[in-house]
Structure formats: C-alpha cells, structure tokens
Amino acid sequence: MRFVSVRWLSLDAVINRILLLYPSLRSYFLSESESQERFKRLAKAFGNPMTEIYLLFFNLFCQLSIRLNLFLQREEPSIFLVADGIQSFVNTLLGRFNLLFQQIILETLIL
C-alpha cells in the first residue's frame, strides 16, 4: 500500500466532465492510433464497456464522500453522530449503486 493524495472535490468535477464528454472521448480514443503508452491505456479503457459503469459508480461515490467529509469536518462536536453518519453513507451508496445497476441492465436489454 502507498499514500495517495486525493482531492475529492476536484475528482468529482473531473469525473462529471468525463461522463459529459464520454461518447466523444470514447469515439476519439477508439478511432485514433498512437504509440504512447498513456494513449494505449486510455484507448483500452474506453474500449472496455465497464469503464462508463465504473465512472458512474465513482461519480456517486464522490458525491456521497464529499458530503460525509464535510459532515466529519464540521465545527461543533459530533463524535456521537459519526456511527450514524457512516451507516447512512454506506446505505445510501449501496442503494444508489443498486438503482444504477438496474438502470444499466434495463438500458442494455432495451438496446
């Protein structure tokens, strides 16, 4: 394991932007060919149908984790609320993922 600094607020904005441009980015990376390793990794990622699902999940996770992070950083004492806050975070995350998964399955069946 290693330390990774993550700026959740920035990550959320980046994921939102990628999802907004996903069809165009996918088309670009799958239609071009470059020799750079970074480009090859991106082309492989955009060629994987699960990539968009992962991004949608991370988008939901970022939104919820930002809310939890702000909750944990508040000024007033809240140690007695932490367990409930984390439980709410997990329940909401699982519920949203379940809805997202159902939506993707329905869209796949319709297409």
Side-chain angles (χ1 to χ4, degrees):
M1 253 203 264
R2 64 186 173 92
F3 174 77
V4 178
S5 84
V6 176
R7 299 180 188 268
W8 292 106
L9 296 174
S10 300
L11 186 60
D12 184 47
V14 169
I15 292 173
N16 283 329
R17 184 76 172 154
I18 292 172
L19 285 170
L20 180 68
L21 300 172
Y22 191 83
S24 301
L25 289 169
R26 185 175 191 279
S27 174
Y28 172 76
F29 282 106
L30 295 181
S31 66
E32 297 291 322
S33 61
E34 289 279 333
S35 60
Q36 295 177 358
E37 284 302 313
R38 182 180 294 177
F39 189 93
K40 289 178 183 177
R41 282 193 312 267
L42 287 168
K44 182 179 177 183
F46 280 103
N48 182 350
M50 290 298 293
T51 299
E52 188 174 14
I53 295 170
Y54 292 142
L55 288 170
L56 290 166
F57 177 77
F58 288 134
N59 185 37
L60 291 174
F61 179 79
C62 283
Q63 292 170 6
L64 294 173
S65 64
I66 288 169
R67 193 177 336 154
L68 178 64
N69 192 4
L70 292 172
F71 171 77
L72 294 173
Q73 292 182 29
R74 46 197 247 182
E75 294 287 327
E76 54 276 352
S78 59
I79 191 69
F80 57 93
L81 300 172
V82 170
D84 290 338
I86 292 174
Q87 185 66 46
S88 174
F89 168 77
V90 170
N91 289 340
T92 304
L93 182 65
L94 291 175
R96 287 190 180 183
F97 182 69
N98 188 27
L99 290 173
L100 175 66
F101 186 69
Q102 289 173 2
Q103 178 185 357
I104 291 168
I105 293 296
L106 286 174
E107 288 176 1
T108 303
L109 292 175
I110 292 171
L111 297 175

